[in-house]
Amino acid sequence: MTAASAGDTGGPDAMTHDAIAHYLVSAFPQVFTAHAIELTAADGGTATLTLTPGEQHLRPGGVISGPTLMMLADAAAYAALLSVSAAAKMAVTSNLNISFLRGAPAGGAIVQHATVVKRGRRLSVIVCEAETAEGTLIAHTTTTYAMPAA
Amino acid sequence: MTAASAGDTGGPDAMTHDAIAHYLVSAFPQVFTAHAIELTAADGGTATLTLTPGEQHLRPGGVISGPTLMMLADAAAYAALLSVSAAAKMAVTSNLNISFLRGAPAGGAIVQHATVVKRGRRLSVIVCEAETAEGTLIAHTTTTYAMPAA
Amino acid sequence: MTAASAGDTGGPDAMTHDAIAHYLVSAFPQVFTAHAIELTAADGGTATLTLTPGEQHLRPGGVISGPTLMMLADAAAYAALLSVSAAAKMAVTSNLNISFLRGAPAGGAIVQHATVVKRGRRLSVIVCEAETAEGTLIAHTTTTYAMPAA
Amino acid sequence: MTAASAGDTGGPDAMTHDAIAHYLVSAFPQVFTAHAIELTAADGGTATLTLTPGEQHLRPGGVISGPTLMMLADAAAYAALLSVSAAAKMAVTSNLNISFLRGAPAGGAIVQHATVVKRGRRLSVIVCEAETAEGTLIAHTTTTYAMPAA
């Protein structure tokens, strides 16, 4: 992505990394606590989550499951939106499109990046990429979030 | 959908409803047992799953979470493929596109339908619709599965 | 689709078939006139367009091109929205996801159906299916339209 | 994107920029000649097309039309595949998902980038971004191409 589109920078009510991490665990324990997902970065329209896979995240063959990757992309997109504005707390996923590129074997962390490419008053679009710890691209996701009525 | 495209009918190695239900629980306990998902129908290219939501399926506001619906659509698509041919056991999701149409409040079952609209040697496409028990459409999903090498 | 979700019925400012057809040709000649697309049905949230393919619509191999089908799905979705409310004239496509199921050989018309499955104040979602004149399903598309600010 | 996923480098039968440009114009005149699209770059899994919009590319309001952007993304994805291997000549689009981020006003060129993020024996996935000449991101597209049987 070119610099001009790398992400929408945070606005006046952008949330800090710590504030986002705290909020995610308290509001979405069924995602962040239950799956031991860590917010490793969040700033100005981009966020990174790290998942250390457990049994619940695998499908036959010892590969990270599709639903795990879908949840992770959706969660990272939400975190990226919060890094732009706290108003995004009430945003909801409108559409999610995920392409699974390669199987990710269990045994290593999954690093999920998300970048807000459009932060609109009504709709936001976030591009997300999941990688292994070694940097191999596992999945590419585009999510659309409906922003709360002002 | 017109009759001609309603679904790909089962082939000679199509799995029966009972066989599919048994296989899903034994091979994917992290989905079917952990989430108490029931295969309520499976025949000739179509399948229906029913989910009775629990705490783990909700997001703030008492609404069924996006990841729950994504998992459910993906699982129903897989079941529909098995109703065409047991060879689909090794098929994997290649792409999933979900549109969330309305929030589904907790308290009622979610009925997830899936219909195979293309059963190819390499790729299959399944259209999935999630409804409340009253028939209100909650989400529309199109999934593409990569079929195992013959 | 169940009856409850078959489509959003037209509201008080729903446009008639003739009114939609006239509007489409006058406002979008580069689509409807240039491609000789006919609005064969439009009522209460559903619309049907028919395309008689010409040289410009084919790709090598004498098959209807992908861009032709994408344009047709997008146009039918818009027509279906107009059959719900004239206010949709200013709606714009936010997202489009198309799955190409089978090649459609040149020589026959393409019939493009569209059904509004969600008509929101901010976002609408339309499901579209393209078929040959014989009823063979060619493509399945889900489009999201951003509705104009009230 | 990390370096490890920036694109699949060209193989032994990768086509040169000039060879791709010549092939595209000769095989797909209804796209490249009719729309005066120029291949401005093509190498090792990435390609760039430039479109100088004309009347046929606009929708009411003087904005580049959705179908124009869909065609452009699909074409760039194909060109990027050819820069990996000439065998991709027979590849066909299986799925395309486009998110329209901002309207692009007529009067300036549209620069369409495409990067192959997965080049498989059966399926390839290409991520495409359309920008104005000033670098403003207009649309983000993920396409899946079915590769020809070996």
Side-chain angles (χ1 to χ4, degrees), chain A residues 103-121:
Chain A
I110 299 295
V111 181
Q112 178 74 60
H113 300 288
T115 300
V116 178
V117 294
K118 170 183 173 172
R119 202 316 188 162
R121 292 178 302 110

PDB file of all heavy atoms in Angstrom, chain A residues 103-121:
ATOM      1  N   GLY A 103      -2.285 -23.276   4.645  1.00  0.00           N
ATOM      2  CA  GLY A 103      -2.584 -23.805   5.967  1.00  0.00           C
ATOM      3  C   GLY A 103      -1.518 -23.360   6.947  1.00  0.00           C
ATOM      4  O   GLY A 103      -0.350 -23.287   6.605  1.00  0.00           O
ATOM      5  N   ALA A 104      -1.932 -23.029   8.159  1.00  0.00           N
ATOM      6  CA  ALA A 104      -0.973 -22.644   9.196  1.00  0.00           C
ATOM      7  C   ALA A 104      -0.906 -23.780  10.198  1.00  0.00           C
ATOM      8  O   ALA A 104      -1.892 -24.077  10.876  1.00  0.00           O
ATOM      9  CB  ALA A 104      -1.416 -21.364   9.891  1.00  0.00           C
ATOM     10  N   PRO A 105       0.227 -24.459  10.283  1.00  0.00           N
ATOM     11  CA  PRO A 105       0.309 -25.587  11.205  1.00  0.00           C
ATOM     12  C   PRO A 105       0.301 -25.121  12.657  1.00  0.00           C
ATOM     13  O   PRO A 105       0.786 -24.040  12.976  1.00  0.00           O
ATOM     14  CB  PRO A 105       1.648 -26.232  10.847  1.00  0.00           C
ATOM     15  CG  PRO A 105       2.454 -25.146  10.248  1.00  0.00           C
ATOM     16  CD  PRO A 105       1.490 -24.223   9.563  1.00  0.00           C
ATOM     17  N   ALA A 106      -0.264 -25.944  13.495  1.00  0.00           N
ATOM     18  CA  ALA A 106      -0.271 -25.644  14.919  1.00  0.00           C
ATOM     19  C   ALA A 106       1.170 -25.687  15.417  1.00  0.00           C
ATOM     20  O   ALA A 106       2.027 -26.282  14.789  1.00  0.00           O
ATOM     21  CB  ALA A 106      -1.101 -26.688  15.667  1.00  0.00           C
ATOM     22  N   GLY A 107       1.403 -25.051  16.524  1.00  0.00           N
ATOM     23  CA  GLY A 107       2.751 -25.070  17.067  1.00  0.00           C
ATOM     24  C   GLY A 107       3.401 -23.699  17.046  1.00  0.00           C
ATOM     25  O   GLY A 107       4.403 -23.461  17.698  1.00  0.00           O
ATOM     26  N   GLY A 108       2.806 -22.786  16.287  1.00  0.00           N
ATOM     27  CA  GLY A 108       3.388 -21.449  16.252  1.00  0.00           C
ATOM     28  C   GLY A 108       2.294 -20.407  16.358  1.00  0.00           C
ATOM     29  O   GLY A 108       1.133 -20.685  16.093  1.00  0.00           O
ATOM     30  N   ALA A 109       2.669 -19.229  16.752  1.00  0.00           N
ATOM     31  CA  ALA A 109       1.702 -18.149  16.900  1.00  0.00           C
ATOM     32  C   ALA A 109       1.192 -17.676  15.551  1.00  0.00           C
ATOM     33  O   ALA A 109       1.852 -17.859  14.516  1.00  0.00           O
ATOM     34  CB  ALA A 109       2.346 -16.976  17.634  1.00  0.00           C
ATOM     35  N   ILE A 110       0.016 -17.100  15.566  1.00  0.00           N
ATOM     36  CA  ILE A 110      -0.529 -16.448  14.374  1.00  0.00           C
ATOM     37  C   ILE A 110      -0.532 -14.958  14.674  1.00  0.00           C
ATOM     38  O   ILE A 110      -1.010 -14.527  15.727  1.00  0.00           O
ATOM     39  CB  ILE A 110      -1.970 -16.917  14.088  1.00  0.00           C
ATOM     40  CG1 ILE A 110      -1.987 -18.422  13.823  1.00  0.00           C
ATOM     41  CG2 ILE A 110      -2.542 -16.159  12.888  1.00  0.00           C
ATOM     42  CD1 ILE A 110      -1.250 -18.872  12.589  1.00  0.00           C
ATOM     43  N   VAL A 111       0.025 -14.190  13.750  1.00  0.00           N
ATOM     44  CA  VAL A 111       0.096 -12.741  13.911  1.00  0.00           C
ATOM     45  C   VAL A 111      -0.912 -12.118  12.953  1.00  0.00           C
ATOM     46  O   VAL A 111      -0.817 -12.312  11.741  1.00  0.00           O
ATOM     47  CB  VAL A 111       1.512 -12.221  13.594  1.00  0.00           C
ATOM     48  CG1 VAL A 111       1.573 -10.709  13.779  1.00  0.00           C
ATOM     49  CG2 VAL A 111       2.531 -12.924  14.491  1.00  0.00           C
ATOM     50  N   GLN A 112      -1.879 -11.421  13.488  1.00  0.00           N
ATOM     51  CA  GLN A 112      -2.958 -10.851  12.677  1.00  0.00           C
ATOM     52  C   GLN A 112      -2.838  -9.338  12.616  1.00  0.00           C
ATOM     53  O   GLN A 112      -2.997  -8.656  13.630  1.00  0.00           O
ATOM     54  CB  GLN A 112      -4.311 -11.248  13.287  1.00  0.00           C
ATOM     55  CG  GLN A 112      -5.515 -10.667  12.567  1.00  0.00           C
ATOM     56  CD  GLN A 112      -5.793 -11.345  11.237  1.00  0.00           C
ATOM     57  OE1 GLN A 112      -6.038 -12.544  11.166  1.00  0.00           O
ATOM     58  NE2 GLN A 112      -5.769 -10.580  10.160  1.00  0.00           N
ATOM     59  N   HIS A 113      -2.569  -8.821  11.429  1.00  0.00           N
ATOM     60  CA  HIS A 113      -2.481  -7.372  11.226  1.00  0.00           C
ATOM     61  C   HIS A 113      -3.798  -6.847  10.677  1.00  0.00           C
ATOM     62  O   HIS A 113      -4.511  -7.553   9.956  1.00  0.00           O
ATOM     63  CB  HIS A 113      -1.377  -7.035  10.216  1.00  0.00           C
ATOM     64  CG  HIS A 113      -0.019  -7.492  10.616  1.00  0.00           C
ATOM     65  ND1 HIS A 113       0.702  -6.903  11.628  1.00  0.00           N
ATOM     66  CD2 HIS A 113       0.763  -8.487  10.133  1.00  0.00           C
ATOM     67  CE1 HIS A 113       1.871  -7.522  11.754  1.00  0.00           C
ATOM     68  NE2 HIS A 113       1.938  -8.482  10.869  1.00  0.00           N
ATOM     69  N   ALA A 114      -4.111  -5.591  10.980  1.00  0.00           N
ATOM     70  CA  ALA A 114      -5.305  -4.955  10.426  1.00  0.00           C
ATOM     71  C   ALA A 114      -5.010  -3.488  10.191  1.00  0.00           C
ATOM     72  O   ALA A 114      -4.374  -2.837  11.038  1.00  0.00           O
ATOM     73  CB  ALA A 114      -6.489  -5.103  11.376  1.00  0.00           C
ATOM     74  N   THR A 115      -5.440  -2.976   9.056  1.00  0.00           N
ATOM     75  CA  THR A 115      -5.214  -1.575   8.697  1.00  0.00           C
ATOM     76  C   THR A 115      -6.514  -0.975   8.184  1.00  0.00           C
ATOM     77  O   THR A 115      -7.114  -1.509   7.247  1.00  0.00           O
ATOM     78  CB  THR A 115      -4.144  -1.457   7.588  1.00  0.00           C
ATOM     79  OG1 THR A 115      -2.922  -2.020   8.054  1.00  0.00           O
ATOM     80  CG2 THR A 115      -3.918  -0.006   7.193  1.00  0.00           C
ATOM     81  N   VAL A 116      -6.927   0.130   8.786  1.00  0.00           N
ATOM     82  CA  VAL A 116      -8.132   0.821   8.333  1.00  0.00           C
ATOM     83  C   VAL A 116      -7.794   1.554   7.045  1.00  0.00           C
ATOM     84  O   VAL A 116      -6.901   2.411   7.020  1.00  0.00           O
ATOM     85  CB  VAL A 116      -8.631   1.838   9.393  1.00  0.00           C
ATOM     86  CG1 VAL A 116      -9.859   2.576   8.863  1.00  0.00           C
ATOM     87  CG2 VAL A 116      -8.971   1.115  10.695  1.00  0.00           C
ATOM     88  N   VAL A 117      -8.473   1.215   5.952  1.00  0.00           N
ATOM     89  CA  VAL A 117      -8.220   1.878   4.679  1.00  0.00           C
ATOM     90  C   VAL A 117      -9.288   2.910   4.347  1.00  0.00           C
ATOM     91  O   VAL A 117      -9.145   3.702   3.409  1.00  0.00           O
ATOM     92  CB  VAL A 117      -8.063   0.877   3.506  1.00  0.00           C
ATOM     93  CG1 VAL A 117      -6.804   0.037   3.710  1.00  0.00           C
ATOM     94  CG2 VAL A 117      -9.284  -0.001   3.340  1.00  0.00           C
ATOM     95  N   LYS A 118     -10.364   2.866   5.089  1.00  0.00           N
ATOM     96  CA  LYS A 118     -11.405   3.888   4.936  1.00  0.00           C
ATOM     97  C   LYS A 118     -12.100   4.011   6.281  1.00  0.00           C
ATOM     98  O   LYS A 118     -12.588   3.012   6.821  1.00  0.00           O
ATOM     99  CB  LYS A 118     -12.429   3.506   3.880  1.00  0.00           C
ATOM    100  CG  LYS A 118     -13.641   4.463   3.897  1.00  0.00           C
ATOM    101  CD  LYS A 118     -14.714   4.073   2.908  1.00  0.00           C
ATOM    102  CE  LYS A 118     -15.953   4.952   3.107  1.00  0.00           C
ATOM    103  NZ  LYS A 118     -16.942   4.724   2.015  1.00  0.00           N
ATOM    104  N   ARG A 119     -12.135   5.208   6.800  1.00  0.00           N
ATOM    105  CA  ARG A 119     -12.854   5.452   8.052  1.00  0.00           C
ATOM    106  C   ARG A 119     -13.914   6.487   7.710  1.00  0.00           C
ATOM    107  O   ARG A 119     -13.631   7.673   7.633  1.00  0.00           O
ATOM    108  CB  ARG A 119     -11.891   5.994   9.112  1.00  0.00           C
ATOM    109  CG  ARG A 119     -12.296   5.827  10.585  1.00  0.00           C
ATOM    110  CD  ARG A 119     -13.707   6.140  10.925  1.00  0.00           C
ATOM    111  NE  ARG A 119     -13.953   6.134  12.359  1.00  0.00           N
ATOM    112  CZ  ARG A 119     -15.002   6.690  12.958  1.00  0.00           C
ATOM    113  NH1 ARG A 119     -15.911   7.289  12.241  1.00  0.00           N
ATOM    114  NH2 ARG A 119     -15.123   6.641  14.268  1.00  0.00           N
ATOM    115  N   GLY A 120     -15.130   5.990   7.431  1.00  0.00           N
ATOM    116  CA  GLY A 120     -16.202   6.887   7.050  1.00  0.00           C
ATOM    117  C   GLY A 120     -17.155   7.135   8.206  1.00  0.00           C
ATOM    118  O   GLY A 120     -17.065   6.496   9.251  1.00  0.00           O
ATOM    119  N   ARG A 121     -18.063   8.059   8.009  1.00  0.00           N
ATOM    120  CA  ARG A 121     -19.064   8.336   9.050  1.00  0.00           C
ATOM    121  C   ARG A 121     -20.046   7.175   9.142  1.00  0.00           C
ATOM    122  O   ARG A 121     -20.599   6.900  10.220  1.00  0.00           O
ATOM    123  CB  ARG A 121     -19.850   9.605   8.734  1.00  0.00           C
ATOM    124  CG  ARG A 121     -19.038  10.885   8.807  1.00  0.00           C
ATOM    125  CD  ARG A 121     -19.885  12.081   8.423  1.00  0.00           C
ATOM    126  NE  ARG A 121     -20.428  11.918   7.069  1.00  0.00           N
ATOM    127  CZ  ARG A 121     -21.731  11.706   6.831  1.00  0.00           C
ATOM    128  NH1 ARG A 121     -22.608  11.645   7.801  1.00  0.00           N
ATOM    129  NH2 ARG A 121     -22.144  11.541   5.578  1.00  0.00           N
TER     130      ARG A 121
END
